[in-house]
Structures are given as structure tokens and as C-alpha cells.
């Protein structure tokens, strides 16, 4: 049974969706994590507080709850409106379930959650850069944003990239949680098969084999990056 379903079309489609979810969620996470980390280190108390609140919420609530929230947002807001707040002007509306389907909900939940963890990783990388580098950039008249982009972040990547490899492995495994909203990932595909043939354990082994293969490849790539 394992040999029969390991390379079946439905399972392979689930593998592809899992890889896509992992990549997109990590891109969103890094894109959000970098500005959040910079805000957290900012001397501006408002920016620092906003970043802290974001990290506090998304790191303090279970990812499964966040996935369920986005997946069933339509139950709270059946329609989404585009208009001007406090004026009553509405330019258009659409059913929430059409705008935020299972795939969009999965990406939003995984990406926004990852941004909170990526922010802490980036922040630790920035702190690891010697302060003399920033002082040297200041002496050359470089602005703060330019210093961060050209001096600090490139050096911080030596600390950030290996840790993000581990985070990518965690993200790939976390994609299995989107099965609760029928996200068409690997676990959901396996569940659809064993709901029909009742070969639950063999198909769960199939899912485990694919997860092991994918996480091993990510780990190997991360080790090469360290070298």
C-alpha cells in the first residue's frame, strides 16, 4: 500500500502544495520580520511598542487557532467591503469566503505567524553585528536606513540564514495544520485517500516519508549554507 500511494497523483499534488505553502509563507515571514525587527530596535517608542505587540500576540497564541480564525473569518464577516471609513461610502463588496479561501487563509496564517518568529531571528542577527560597524558607517555620513541596508543586514545574514534553515523545517511541518481548513496540503491529500480506502496507517507512513525527505533536503541545504 505504501509503494502504491507514495507516488500517486493526489499525494504528489499535496507535496507540491506543501512546498509552495512553505516557500510563500517564509517569504512573507522574512518580508514582515525584517521591518518588525528594525522597529523593535528603534528608539521610537511607538514603533517599538507596535512591534512588541505584534510579536506578543502572534507568538503567544497557537498557530492552529490563527489558522482556524482566518479559515472561518467568513462566519464573523460574511462580506468584505471596500470604501471610506466613517463616511458610509462603499465602492464594492465581495463574499469573504470567495476572497479568503482555504489557500489564502493558510498563507495568511502561516506567513503572519512566521513574521513574528523571523523578527526575533533578524533582531538577534542585528544585535550580533559589532557596534563598530555602525559607528564607522556614521563617520562616513551614511543615513540610518542606508547603514542598516548596506552594512548591518548583510553581516547579520551570517547569523540569520542558518537559523532560518531550522525555521523553514518547522514551517514545512506546520503546513500540516492547514488540513483543519481543507488546505489541500500533503496531509489533507493523504486524508482524502484513506477516507476512501481506510488504509489509514500506510497512508500516514506515506506522509511521514515525504515530510522526512523534504525536511532532510532543507537540512542539507542549510548545512551547505553554513559551510
Amino acid at each position: 500500500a505504501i509503494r502504491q500511494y507514495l507516488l500517486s497523483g493526489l499525494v504528489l499534488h499535496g507535496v507540491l502544495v506543501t512546498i509552495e505553502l512553505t516557500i510563500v509563507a517564509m517569504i512573507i515571514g522574512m518580508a514582515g520580520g525584517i521591518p518588525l525587527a528594525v522597529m523593535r530596535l528603534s528608539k521610537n517608542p511607538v514603533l517599538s511598542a507596535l512591534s512588541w505587540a505584534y510579536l506578543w500576540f502572534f507568538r503567544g497564541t497557537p498557530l492552529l487557532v490563527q489558522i482556524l480564525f482566518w479559515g472561518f473569518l467568513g462566519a464573523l464577516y460574511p462580506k468584505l467591503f471596500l470604501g471610506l471609513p466613517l463616511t458610509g461610502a462603499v465602492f464594492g463588496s465581495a463574499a469573504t469566503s470567495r476572497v479568503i479561501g482555504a489557500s489564502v487563509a493558510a498563507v495568511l496564517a502561516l506567513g503572519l505567524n512566521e513574521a513574528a518568529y523571523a523578527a526575533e531571528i533578524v533582531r538577534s542577527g542585528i544585535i550580533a553585528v559589532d557596534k563598530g560597524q555602525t559607528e564607522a558607517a556614521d563617520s562616513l555620513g551614511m543615513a540610518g536606513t542606508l547603514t542598516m541596508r548596506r552594512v548591518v543586514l548583510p553581516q547579520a545574514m551570517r547569523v540569520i540564514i542558518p537559523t532560518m534553515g531550522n525555521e523553514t523545517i518547522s514551517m514545512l511541518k506546520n503546513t500540516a495544520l492547514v488540513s483543519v481548513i481543507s488546505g489541500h496540503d500533503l496531509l489533507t491529500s493523504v486524508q482524502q485517500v484513506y477516507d476512501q480506502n481506510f488504509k489509514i496507517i500506510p497512508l500516514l507512513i506515506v506522509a511521514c516519508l515525504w515530510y522526512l525527505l523534504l525536511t532532510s533536503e532543507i537540512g542539507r541545504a542549510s548545512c551547505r549554507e553554513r559551510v
Side-chain angles (χ1 to χ4, degrees), residues 221-227:
S222 179
C223 289
R224 283 201 299 266
E225 195 65 37
R226 287 193 185 111
V227 174

Side-chain angles (χ1 to χ4, degrees), residues 9 171 216:
M171 174 57 68
S216 297

Side-chain angles (χ1 to χ4, degrees), residues 170-188:
S170 297
M171 174 57 68
L172 188 139
K173 293 185 293 184
N174 284 338
T175 58
L177 295 175
V178 306
S179 61
V180 298
I181 57 172
S182 303
H184 303 295
D185 66 307
L186 173 57
L187 183 58
T188 304

